Amino acid sequence: MAQTTNTDLSLRLTLDDLIMASSWDKSWILALMDEDIIYAETPAIDSQPYFNSAQLTTVRLASRLRRDFDASPQAIGLILSLLDELRPLRQLQRQITLTRMVHDVDDS
């Protein structure tokens, strides 16, 4: 899903925090977990599982997909997977375009 940084990983949200941030109910968040769209980090023993900011970003994107397209958790999983595959292709396209622009300038 979203790229993470060390700063992202320092945010620790409980399941209840994540539910409040998403504006959806617990069963929907659990359905996202069942589809492996989001997952809880499991820290050392005696600590509560938590979600980081990358997971929060994914839940917010999933919420928009649900709201805008009435997408099911299964459809959201597929959409997010396709978006992940699309990112490097778009980056490659930008690099090719920039390379062509440089060659066009060099040829002038």
PDB file of all heavy atoms in Angstrom, residues 11 13-14 19 30 36 49 53 68 72 82 100 107:
ATOM      1  N   LEU A  11       3.746   6.312  14.916  1.00  0.00           N
ATOM      2  CA  LEU A  11       2.339   6.480  15.270  1.00  0.00           C
ATOM      3  C   LEU A  11       1.767   5.129  15.654  1.00  0.00           C
ATOM      4  O   LEU A  11       1.940   4.152  14.930  1.00  0.00           O
ATOM      5  CB  LEU A  11       1.556   7.054  14.087  1.00  0.00           C
ATOM      6  CG  LEU A  11       0.060   7.245  14.299  1.00  0.00           C
ATOM      7  CD1 LEU A  11      -0.190   8.324  15.343  1.00  0.00           C
ATOM      8  CD2 LEU A  11      -0.609   7.610  12.995  1.00  0.00           C
ATOM      9  N   LEU A  13      -1.806   3.478  16.754  1.00  0.00           N
ATOM     10  CA  LEU A  13      -3.250   3.580  16.957  1.00  0.00           C
ATOM     11  C   LEU A  13      -3.799   2.233  17.400  1.00  0.00           C
ATOM     12  O   LEU A  13      -3.444   1.204  16.826  1.00  0.00           O
ATOM     13  CB  LEU A  13      -3.945   3.984  15.653  1.00  0.00           C
ATOM     14  CG  LEU A  13      -3.557   5.320  15.044  1.00  0.00           C
ATOM     15  CD1 LEU A  13      -4.134   5.437  13.646  1.00  0.00           C
ATOM     16  CD2 LEU A  13      -4.036   6.453  15.921  1.00  0.00           C
ATOM     17  N   THR A  14      -4.672   2.261  18.365  1.00  0.00           N
ATOM     18  CA  THR A  14      -5.364   1.027  18.751  1.00  0.00           C
ATOM     19  C   THR A  14      -6.454   0.750  17.729  1.00  0.00           C
ATOM     20  O   THR A  14      -6.767   1.609  16.885  1.00  0.00           O
ATOM     21  CB  THR A  14      -6.003   1.167  20.137  1.00  0.00           C
ATOM     22  OG1 THR A  14      -7.032   2.159  20.060  1.00  0.00           O
ATOM     23  CG2 THR A  14      -4.973   1.519  21.205  1.00  0.00           C
ATOM     24  N   ILE A  19     -10.881   2.782  14.284  1.00  0.00           N
ATOM     25  CA  ILE A  19     -12.324   2.800  14.000  1.00  0.00           C
ATOM     26  C   ILE A  19     -12.845   4.232  14.054  1.00  0.00           C
ATOM     27  O   ILE A  19     -13.572   4.670  13.163  1.00  0.00           O
ATOM     28  CB  ILE A  19     -13.081   1.877  14.974  1.00  0.00           C
ATOM     29  CG1 ILE A  19     -12.733   0.416  14.675  1.00  0.00           C
ATOM     30  CG2 ILE A  19     -14.588   2.102  14.888  1.00  0.00           C
ATOM     31  CD1 ILE A  19     -13.142  -0.544  15.770  1.00  0.00           C
ATOM     32  N   LEU A  30     -12.663  -4.861  10.683  1.00  0.00           N
ATOM     33  CA  LEU A  30     -12.267  -6.267  10.788  1.00  0.00           C
ATOM     34  C   LEU A  30     -12.334  -6.960   9.427  1.00  0.00           C
ATOM     35  O   LEU A  30     -11.510  -7.825   9.125  1.00  0.00           O
ATOM     36  CB  LEU A  30     -13.137  -6.993  11.820  1.00  0.00           C
ATOM     37  CG  LEU A  30     -12.945  -6.531  13.270  1.00  0.00           C
ATOM     38  CD1 LEU A  30     -13.942  -7.236  14.190  1.00  0.00           C
ATOM     39  CD2 LEU A  30     -11.516  -6.736  13.731  1.00  0.00           C
ATOM     40  N   ASP A  36      -6.729  -8.820   4.398  1.00  0.00           N
ATOM     41  CA  ASP A  36      -5.308  -8.440   4.413  1.00  0.00           C
ATOM     42  C   ASP A  36      -5.046  -7.076   3.785  1.00  0.00           C
ATOM     43  O   ASP A  36      -3.974  -6.827   3.227  1.00  0.00           O
ATOM     44  CB  ASP A  36      -4.431  -9.509   3.748  1.00  0.00           C
ATOM     45  CG  ASP A  36      -4.425 -10.803   4.525  1.00  0.00           C
ATOM     46  OD1 ASP A  36      -4.487 -10.744   5.770  1.00  0.00           O
ATOM     47  OD2 ASP A  36      -4.364 -11.872   3.897  1.00  0.00           O
ATOM     48  N   PRO A  49      -1.620  -4.822  20.308  1.00  0.00           N
ATOM     49  CA  PRO A  49      -1.400  -4.624  18.869  1.00  0.00           C
ATOM     50  C   PRO A  49      -1.798  -3.204  18.476  1.00  0.00           C
ATOM     51  O   PRO A  49      -2.667  -2.602  19.096  1.00  0.00           O
ATOM     52  CB  PRO A  49      -2.324  -5.644  18.221  1.00  0.00           C
ATOM     53  CG  PRO A  49      -2.581  -6.661  19.269  1.00  0.00           C
ATOM     54  CD  PRO A  49      -2.529  -5.919  20.570  1.00  0.00           C
ATOM     55  N   SER A  53       0.632   4.845  10.811  1.00  0.00           N
ATOM     56  CA  SER A  53      -0.004   5.838   9.943  1.00  0.00           C
ATOM     57  C   SER A  53      -0.220   5.311   8.518  1.00  0.00           C
ATOM     58  O   SER A  53      -1.147   5.742   7.835  1.00  0.00           O
ATOM     59  CB  SER A  53       0.779   7.142   9.925  1.00  0.00           C
ATOM     60  OG  SER A  53       2.053   6.944   9.379  1.00  0.00           O
ATOM     61  N   ASP A  68     -17.569   6.332  -2.095  1.00  0.00           N
ATOM     62  CA  ASP A  68     -17.764   6.809  -3.463  1.00  0.00           C
ATOM     63  C   ASP A  68     -18.290   5.741  -4.417  1.00  0.00           C
ATOM     64  O   ASP A  68     -19.036   6.049  -5.343  1.00  0.00           O
ATOM     65  CB  ASP A  68     -16.454   7.366  -4.021  1.00  0.00           C
ATOM     66  CG  ASP A  68     -15.981   8.620  -3.289  1.00  0.00           C
ATOM     67  OD1 ASP A  68     -16.770   9.191  -2.499  1.00  0.00           O
ATOM     68  OD2 ASP A  68     -14.821   9.017  -3.493  1.00  0.00           O
ATOM     69  N   SER A  72     -17.062  -3.207  -1.783  1.00  0.00           N
ATOM     70  CA  SER A  72     -16.947  -4.188  -0.706  1.00  0.00           C
ATOM     71  C   SER A  72     -15.476  -4.295  -0.289  1.00  0.00           C
ATOM     72  O   SER A  72     -14.580  -3.890  -1.047  1.00  0.00           O
ATOM     73  CB  SER A  72     -17.434  -5.547  -1.191  1.00  0.00           C
ATOM     74  OG  SER A  72     -16.532  -6.052  -2.161  1.00  0.00           O
ATOM     75  N   LEU A  82      -4.333  -3.201  -7.558  1.00  0.00           N
ATOM     76  CA  LEU A  82      -4.125  -2.651  -8.899  1.00  0.00           C
ATOM     77  C   LEU A  82      -3.449  -1.287  -8.846  1.00  0.00           C
ATOM     78  O   LEU A  82      -2.583  -0.978  -9.674  1.00  0.00           O
ATOM     79  CB  LEU A  82      -5.455  -2.564  -9.651  1.00  0.00           C
ATOM     80  CG  LEU A  82      -6.074  -3.916 -10.017  1.00  0.00           C
ATOM     81  CD1 LEU A  82      -7.482  -3.719 -10.590  1.00  0.00           C
ATOM     82  CD2 LEU A  82      -5.198  -4.671 -10.995  1.00  0.00           C
ATOM     83  N   ARG A 100      12.970  11.421 -22.987  1.00  0.00           N
ATOM     84  CA  ARG A 100      12.685  11.895 -24.349  1.00  0.00           C
ATOM     85  C   ARG A 100      12.839  13.405 -24.438  1.00  0.00           C
ATOM     86  O   ARG A 100      13.353  13.929 -25.432  1.00  0.00           O
ATOM     87  CB  ARG A 100      11.270  11.495 -24.772  1.00  0.00           C
ATOM     88  CG  ARG A 100      11.146  10.039 -25.107  1.00  0.00           C
ATOM     89  CD  ARG A 100       9.754   9.691 -25.547  1.00  0.00           C
ATOM     90  NE  ARG A 100       9.652   8.277 -25.846  1.00  0.00           N
ATOM     91  CZ  ARG A 100       8.521   7.615 -25.896  1.00  0.00           C
ATOM     92  NH1 ARG A 100       7.374   8.232 -25.675  1.00  0.00           N
ATOM     93  NH2 ARG A 100       8.514   6.326 -26.170  1.00  0.00           N
ATOM     94  N   ASP A 107      19.137  17.143 -29.095  1.00  0.00           N
ATOM     95  CA  ASP A 107      19.103  17.065 -30.549  1.00  0.00           C
ATOM     96  C   ASP A 107      18.890  18.422 -31.198  1.00  0.00           C
ATOM     97  O   ASP A 107      19.169  18.581 -32.382  1.00  0.00           O
ATOM     98  CB  ASP A 107      18.022  16.100 -31.011  1.00  0.00           C
ATOM     99  CG  ASP A 107      18.350  14.640 -30.659  1.00  0.00           C
ATOM    100  OD1 ASP A 107      19.539  14.357 -30.350  1.00  0.00           O
ATOM    101  OD2 ASP A 107      17.426  13.801 -30.656  1.00  0.00           O
TER     102      ASP A 107
END
